[in-house]
Amino acid sequence: MTSADETQQRPAGDPAGPALDRFYTVIPAGGVGTRLWPLSRASAPKFLHDLTGSGTTLIRSTYERLAPLTGEKVMVVTGDPHRDAVCAQLPELDEADLVLEPSPKDSAAAIGLAAAILHRRDPEIIMGSFAADQVIAPVEAFQSAAREAVVTAATGRIVTIGISPTHPSTGFGYIRRGQALGVEGAPSAHQVVEFVEKPGEETAREYLDTGDYLWNAGMFVAPVGLLLQHLAAAQPELHAGVVEIAEAWGTERQQEVMERVWPDLPKTAIDYAVAEPAADAGDVAVIPGHFTWDDVGDFAAIARLNPAKEQDAMTVLGEKARVYSDQSSGVVVSDTRRVVALIGVEDIVVVDTEDALLVTTTDHAQSVKQAVEALREKGDSDVL
Amino acid sequence: MTSADETQQRPAGDPAGPALDRFYTVIPAGGVGTRLWPLSRASAPKFLHDLTGSGTTLIRSTYERLAPLTGEKVMVVTGDPHRDAVCAQLPELDEADLVLEPSPKDSAAAIGLAAAILHRRDPEIIMGSFAADQVIAPVEAFQSAAREAVVTAATGRIVTIGISPTHPSTGFGYIRRGQALGVEGAPSAHQVVEFVEKPGEETAREYLDTGDYLWNAGMFVAPVGLLLQHLAAAQPELHAGVVEIAEAWGTERQQEVMERVWPDLPKTAIDYAVAEPAADAGDVAVIPGHFTWDDVGDFAAIARLNPAKEQDAMTVLGEKARVYSDQSSGVVVSDTRRVVALIGVEDIVVVDTEDALLVTTTDHAQSVKQAVEALREKGDSDVL
């Protein structure tokens, strides 16, 4: 997206304009996606794949979804081994906006460091953190919620986007919302009362009935100063570390400081380090998002996100795929040019890569993680 | 097998000795084994694979099963493209004993030509025809039946080996036996009354009840002169053709005559061209074989022939196989070094080759043939 495109998206006199001018997107791109092995693996994690048949990878889709709001003001935090793949996916990315983690450190370190670097550039920046491996539709509904989140963040709040739940899921954490905030340009902004962990089934049903609970999708938008202030309070050591790295960022000391400080940073999630304490302090707002959202956790999700076009037809992902199926249903993910023939197999999951093949069913999609662990123990790490 | 081994198998004064001295094995090695795609294919048909986990290919096993009776007197009839593979499997084979068909012509031409060539070498030869792709156990029971067949053939009969049926199969043709023949050295030799086609279920049950019916395994042993005599009567054109080729065999004209005559030979089965008319003439005997016999027609047969060693364990074929399975049963045939992970799939058949992958169930093993036809129509012949 060029800034010309960006301008087209913003009508003259848009009340969100001043807030959006401060907006900077941060995309944490971590996590192997073990349940998507052998497609997703250490050397080619989930976000580097096209899991929706859209023709673009998840990280590229994330970038393009934000571009109309953020332009090229995008920072990516990812593992050092993924530098080249990420640059190939996001050629627009400035080198100063690519943060390479020497080792995985959970979300608080990744997002905290991004906030610290951006804060040194401009303390007025409002950053939005959106994971690289989520599938969202319709994009317009997401953009509308993100815009309200930015406007609300400009009033001095940490803002999360919560998904309007469609069923009593026990797989997500929830956000309980309080009173409407009456923010100009963000009519759906509400106070957050609390974040709650994944509930049991009965509790989930109660949540749904009240209408006050939203799914926590881990998306939030915040003024970098406010975010760092909460991080400093809850995790002073982590805060000091990311500020030290940020001070060296873009200088010749960057590499040396990163390698010295990063390994000792505490491993914790941004939810504990910032979001929950900030909510307790009354500093968190929520914008309800009326869109579907999936982090493509396993192959059952892929089958769900890519319904077969005809009865008795397989969902097929893979540009080069050559699939023949007869009396079969399920999903084939092909990373090769091999012919895959399926006969009489239902709800099957076949994932065909150069060095590893997975055959399971959508019902057993969650068990892929154990298989990967078993293969590691067997000494088959070359394919993990 | 060396002739020293051969001698060990034949006690001094063996009454079968003179007959066995005339014995020559012919191994027709044809048929792609389409139901075993993608393992078996035009370039690597069934008989070139180890389908039993024994460590030897089916054609090699066939050769070794007969060696104690026949020594190195073995002729192979196969398709021209398989010359090198067959020679690699049977290094003992003399060049004059390798008959390469320019094109597939069904069994009457293949066996008729072998008979004609052997007849020119020595009209006293008793040939036994045993397909290259059968799995037989115990080998001793087969050898005992074959020995009786050779002794009976020496009395001037075409002799078939019939399998004692264990259930009312509708998948095989049957042989109805008549009176005992009282051949010295072949106590179980009986007259053949008739050959009958694959029966319906009720008829098959009746056959089993009478005790007079045996499965037709397509194995027969005959003096070459008698075989050619029946071929001349039933298929004069075919007979004239194979005799013309045989006359040029081993001369500089061999290639020229083969290429000129072979293409116009009628396509028919040896059953129609020789066995059935000979039975009508009272010239056919049968030896009951008390062994299991399988032509490994599909992957269900492979699963059956290779039972998994533990409960909840897969049958795995393939020297290089790297298979992980969890809550799964069935068979994996691996022709690659790829890791194959199976989770929660039952009675599954996975066949993994470099350029094609099949996933089906033992219940659908018969449908593989249609898949191959469909792939051919789709233009995927490169993997067939």
Side-chain angles (χ1 to χ4, degrees), chain A residues 59 79 130 342:
Chain A
I59 192 170
F130 303 95
L342 304 145

Side-chain angles (χ1 to χ4, degrees), chain B residues 39-103:
Chain B
L39 186 67
S40 185
R41 52 177 80 189
S43 60
K46 186 163 64 161
F47 61 83
L48 290 173
H49 295 275
D50 168 17
L51 300 180
T52 63
S54 68
T56 56
T57 61
L58 296 184
I59 193 171
R60 181 76 211 170
S61 295
T62 303
Y63 184 92
E64 293 184 352
R65 188 187 303 132
L66 286 151
L69 302 175
T70 200
E72 292 189 0
K73 292 186 294 177
V74 176
M75 177 173 275
V76 173
V77 188
T78 192
D80 195 60
H82 309 312
R83 166 201 274 272
D84 292 348
V86 167
C87 290
Q89 285 301 313
L90 309 178
E92 305 91 336
L93 203 65
D94 196 277
E95 202 187 322
D97 281 336
L98 180 59
V99 178
L100 298 170
E101 303 173 303
S103 58

Side-chain angles (χ1 to χ4, degrees), chain A residues 37 322-324 326-328 336-345 348 350 352-361 364 367-368 370-371 374-375 378-383, chain B residues 37 322-324 326-328 336-345 348 350 352-361 364 367-368 370-371 374-375 378-383:
Chain A
W37 179 88
R322 300 168 75 189
V323 174
Y324 164 85
D326 175 30
Q327 305 167 66
S328 298
T336 73
R337 277 286 300 157
R338 302 199 312 159
V339 165
V340 178
L342 304 145
I343 306 168
V345 282
I348 199 87
V350 174
D352 185 44
T353 73
E354 286 301 339
D355 59 1
L357 166 69
L358 171 70
V359 180
T360 184
T361 68
H364 289 82
S367 305
V368 173
Q370 288 93 285
L375 286 168
K378 275 180 67 184
D380 286 323
S381 300
D382 57 311
V383 298
Chain B
W37 178 89
R322 301 168 73 188
V323 174
Y324 164 85
D326 175 29
Q327 306 166 67
S328 299
T336 73
R337 276 285 302 155
R338 303 199 313 158
V339 165
V340 178
L342 304 145
I343 306 168
V345 283
I348 200 86
V350 174
D352 185 43
T353 73
E354 286 301 339
D355 59 0
L357 167 69
L358 170 71
V359 180
T360 185
T361 68
H364 288 82
S367 305
V368 173
Q370 288 92 285
L375 286 168
K378 274 180 69 184
D380 286 324
S381 301
D382 57 314
V383 299

Side-chain angles (χ1 to χ4, degrees), chain B residues 45 82 111-112 116 138 141 151 198 210 268 275 303 310 324 328 341 376:
Chain B
H82 309 312
I111 293 168
V151 171
K198 295 174 188 176
T210 66
T268 183
E310 301 159 43
Y324 164 85
S328 299
R376 184 170 290 120

Side-chain angles (χ1 to χ4, degrees), chain A residues 6-183:
Chain A
E6 197 185 334
T7 310
Q8 285 176 343
Q9 303 271 344
R10 290 209 208 141
D14 180 353
L20 283 173
D21 286 341
R22 296 166 58 191
F23 185 47
Y24 216 105
T25 290
V26 173
I27 302 178
V32 170
T34 304
R35 288 191 188 81
L36 293 177
W37 179 88
L39 186 68
S40 185
R41 52 177 80 190
S43 61
K46 185 162 67 162
F47 61 83
L48 290 173
H49 295 275
D50 168 18
L51 300 180
T52 62
S54 67
T56 55
T57 61
L58 296 184
I59 192 170
R60 180 76 211 170
S61 295
T62 303
Y63 184 93
E64 292 184 352
R65 188 187 304 131
L66 272 311
L69 302 176
T70 200
E72 292 189 2
K73 292 187 295 177
V74 176
M75 176 171 277
V76 173
V77 188
T78 192
D80 194 60
H82 309 310
R83 167 202 273 273
D84 293 347
V86 167
C87 291
Q89 285 300 313
L90 308 178
E92 305 91 337
L93 204 64
D94 195 277
E95 200 186 324
D97 282 335
L98 180 59
V99 179
L100 298 169
E101 303 172 301
S103 58
K105 273 283 172 210
D106 215 332
S107 55
I111 292 167
L113 176 56
I117 293 170
L118 293 175
H119 188 261
R120 274 187 62 85
R121 274 191 214 163
D122 177 358
E124 294 302 307
I125 284 176
I126 293 170
M127 69 175 267
S129 171
F130 303 95
D133 55 7
Q134 305 196 336
V135 174
I136 283 168
V139 169
E140 295 70 23
F142 165 79
Q143 288 164 343
S144 165
R147 178 181 292 255
E148 284 200 49
V150 175
V151 171
T152 307
T155 66
R157 290 181 175 91
I158 293 176
V159 188
T160 182
I161 299 177
I163 313 295
S164 298
T166 53
H167 62 279
S169 171
T170 59
F172 305 132
Y174 284 72
I175 301 161
R176 181 174 160 208
R177 68 176 177 192
Q179 62 188 34
L181 289 171
V183 176

Side-chain angles (χ1 to χ4, degrees), chain A residues 276-302:
Chain A
E276 293 179 11
D280 293 343
D283 277 353
V284 183
V286 63
I287 308 293
H290 302 284
F291 48 83
T292 63
W293 155 81
D294 203 307
D295 68 350
V296 205
D298 59 28
F299 288 110
I302 289 187

